């Protein structure tokens, strides 16, 4: 018979007579005294691996009512218990396992899936640094790093994988070394070029494409390529002081970058207006700081892990999300499928 034990992430406490069983999104607020007493007894007993029948017998012997015991089992079945052999605290991914379990995933299946995935990172600067190292340490098995840039001193304030001694080196080279230092089994391919029509086929074997570069037409180019080749992708970055990620595009299931128009353009402008806009924008330098990069990168990495691990909700699916850093306002833009989209309208069908 299978044995279960209380998940290591379960904590309890009381506030004003109310039992807080679990914390975070897991929390259950229990006010009924009989259930409080029963679930505390059950949780203590489950600190060691037990069969469910064994626990039920123990609780009955302790004087708890059968209906109360069933209520307690209903609560405990909501992610509070783990199979006895599911968790090894010595495993390098053990704390991630707990998060996956908390999220309702089959933890070892998640890890096997991640190890078999290939991620292409187009742009290895501030966003590529953070998303890349988060995915590498989470267990992604293979990366394609794409960037033609060399490291400059001004990069070091936000591109956290780079050091002063790396200045002059290619970003792909140093980022690949940083990944390998953290997970020696990772396979990495470097492409020290900008993505264009001549080399975009290098993305064909990727299971996911992360776009984080500032190259002018790269988003439109990859949007078409990814839709045609059935490769999920996402754009991640920032707009001045706003951390931005999404939309997370899954060909066949979601809208693409072109489905909804949220970006400014020169359509319907006079030539005089176009010329003035170009003159004003000429020489633009975006403000960039590490914390904004990290906010966008962290949520993007989590969405990618949710997608491959098949747990939780991919927050940026069909949605472009911006966190305004000065007041923590969250803005969401609808990027759902447009059947009239010239890129994917005839190619995609929402299930």
């Amino acid at each position: 018979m299978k044995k279960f034990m209380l998940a290591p992430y379960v904590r309890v406490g009381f506030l004003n007579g109310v039992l807080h069983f679990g914390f975070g999104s897991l929390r259950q607020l229990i006010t009924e005294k009989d259930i409080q007493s029963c679930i505390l007894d059950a949780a203590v007993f489950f600190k060691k691996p037990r069969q469910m029948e064994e626990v039920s017998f123990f609780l009955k012997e302790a004087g708890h009512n059968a209906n109360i015991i069933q209520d307690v089992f209903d609560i405990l079945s909501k992610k509070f218990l783990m199979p006895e052999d599911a968790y090894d605290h010595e495993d390098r991914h053990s704390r991630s396992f707990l998060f996956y379990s908390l999220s309702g995933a089959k933890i070892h299946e998640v890890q096997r899936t991640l190890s078999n995935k290939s991620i292409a990172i187009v742009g290895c600067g501030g966003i590529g640094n953070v998303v890349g190292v988060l995915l590498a340490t989470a267990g992604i098995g293979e990366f394609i790093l794409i960037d033609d840039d060399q490291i400059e001193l001004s990069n070091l304030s936000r591109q956290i994988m780079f050091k002063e001694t790396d200045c002059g080196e290619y970003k792909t080279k140093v980022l690949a070394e940083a990944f390998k230092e953290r997970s020696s089994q990772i396979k990495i391919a470097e492409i020290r070029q900008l993505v264009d029509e001549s080399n975009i086929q290098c993305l064909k074997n990727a299971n996911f494409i992360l776009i984080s570069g500032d190259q002018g037409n790269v988003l439109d180019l990859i949007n078409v390529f990814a839709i045609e080749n059935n490769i999920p992708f996402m754009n991640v970055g920032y707009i001045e002081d706003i951390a931005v990620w999404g939309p997370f595009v899954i060909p066949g299931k979601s809208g693409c970058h072109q489905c909804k128009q949220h970006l400014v353009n020169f359509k319907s402008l006079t030539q005089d207006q176009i010329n003035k806009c170009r003159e004003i924008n000429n020489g633009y330098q975006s403000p960039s700081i590490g914390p904004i990069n990290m906010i966008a990168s962290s949520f993007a990495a989590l969405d990618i892990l949710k997608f491959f691990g098949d747990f939780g909700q991919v927050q940026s699916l069909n949605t472009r999300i911006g966190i305004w850093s000065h007041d923590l306002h969250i803005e969401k833009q609808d990027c759902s499928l447009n059947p009239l989209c010239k890129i994917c309208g005839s190619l995609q069908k929402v299930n």
Side-chain angles (χ1 to χ4, degrees):
M1 295 289 288
K2 198 167 188 178
K3 292 185 176 182
F4 296 86
M5 60 187 302
L6 194 69
Y9 49 73
V10 177
R11 295 182 299 155
V12 302
F14 281 85
L15 179 63
N16 299 326
V18 177
L19 172 60
H20 292 234
F21 196 84
F23 289 89
S25 61
L26 190 70
R27 184 184 65 174
Q28 298 286 307
L29 299 179
I30 302 173
T31 58
E32 191 173 332
K33 301 301 181 184
D34 288 344
I35 296 180
Q36 289 179 354
S37 175
C38 185
I39 200 168
L40 289 175
D41 283 348
V44 171
F45 200 59
F46 267 125
K47 290 293 285 186
K48 293 183 179 180
R50 310 283 186 180
Q51 296 175 5
M52 300 301 289
E53 294 80 2
E54 180 184 2
V55 179
S56 179
F57 178 80
F58 166 78
L59 294 174
K60 288 177 182 176
E61 287 293 299
H64 296 291
N65 176 275
N67 290 332
I68 296 295
I69 293 173
Q70 186 57 55
D71 289 341
V72 165
F73 279 4
D74 289 343
I75 294 171
L76 291 176
S77 65
K78 298 175 181 177
K79 307 173 187 176
F80 290 104
L81 300 178
M82 295 178 66
E84 65 171 328
D85 57 351
Y87 176 68
D88 176 9
H89 74 277
E90 297 292 338
D91 191 290
R92 70 179 297 159
H93 297 295
S94 60
R95 299 294 282 274
S96 298
F97 287 168
L98 295 182
F99 181 83
Y100 301 147
S101 178
L102 175 69
S103 304
K106 296 179 180 179
I107 59 180
H108 296 292
E109 289 185 16
V110 172
Q111 211 57 55
R112 281 193 293 270
T113 298
L114 296 180
S115 68
N116 290 319
K117 296 303 179 183
S118 174
I119 306 289
I121 298 179
V122 181
C124 295
I127 300 292
N129 264 231
V130 179
V131 177
V133 76
L134 289 174
L135 296 178
T137 54
I140 292 292
E142 186 172 344
F143 287 88
I144 306 167
L145 303 181
I146 305 167
D147 201 314
D148 72 335
D149 243 355
Q150 293 168 293
I151 299 168
E152 301 174 357
L153 191 62
S154 63
N155 298 148
L156 304 186
S157 63
R158 63 196 183 280
Q159 299 179 18
I160 60 173
M161 293 293 102
F162 303 151
K163 308 181 296 294
E164 288 184 356
T165 54
D166 295 324
C167 288
E169 297 279 8
Y170 280 98
K171 291 181 178 181
T172 57
K173 173 179 179 292
V174 177
L175 196 56
E177 291 171 350
F179 289 3
K180 286 281 191 178
E181 287 173 353
R182 288 157 177 79
S183 186
S184 60
Q185 301 303 310
I186 290 178
K187 298 178 181 178
I188 301 175
E190 292 180 56
I191 299 174
R192 297 172 184 174
Q193 299 175 338
L194 294 175
V195 172
D196 58 27
E197 290 86 350
S198 69
N199 62 11
I200 196 169
Q201 292 298 321
C202 70
L203 302 175
K204 198 163 188 176
N205 293 325
N207 301 117
F208 189 88
I209 303 171
L210 175 81
I211 307 169
S212 63
D214 53 9
Q215 180 187 344
N217 68 335
V218 69
L219 182 53
D220 290 333
L221 183 65
I222 292 177
N223 185 66
V224 174
F225 177 84
I227 294 296
E228 291 177 348
N229 289 278
N230 196 32
I231 304 173
F233 72 96
M234 174 168 50
N235 187 41
V236 185
Y238 49 88
I239 302 174
E240 323 307 9
D241 55 349
I242 304 174
V244 180
W245 72 102
F248 193 114
V249 179
I250 305 175
K253 293 186 178 180
S254 73
C256 77
H257 169 64
Q258 290 289 347
C259 277
K260 301 288 172 65
Q261 187 54 255
H262 295 295
L263 304 181
V264 297
N265 56 66
F266 291 159
K267 293 178 181 178
S268 303
L269 297 185
T270 67
Q271 190 58 50
D272 181 59
Q273 288 174 317
I274 293 172
N275 291 340
K276 288 177 180 177
C277 287
R278 285 176 172 165
E279 183 175 354
I280 293 169
N281 294 343
N282 184 40
Y284 167 77
Q285 186 69 59
S286 63
S288 182
I289 191 168
I292 306 299
N293 287 352
M294 291 183 186
I295 291 170
S297 299
S298 296
F299 280 107
L302 183 56
D303 270 354
I304 294 169
L305 293 174
K306 286 179 177 179
F307 171 67
F308 283 129
D310 192 25
F311 66 88
Q313 180 178 352
V314 177
Q315 295 296 323
S316 57
L317 183 65
N318 286 320
T319 308
R320 187 173 184 235
I321 304 174
I323 296 181
W324 295 54
S325 61
H326 289 307
D327 62 5
L328 295 186
H329 167 68
I330 298 177
E331 180 179 350
K332 296 183 178 182
Q333 295 176 338
D334 175 31
C335 298
S336 56
L337 177 66
N338 174 8
L340 301 179
C341 176
K342 63 181 180 181
I343 304 299
C344 74
S346 62
L347 301 176
Q348 300 199 49
K349 181 179 179 181
V350 176
N351 295 330

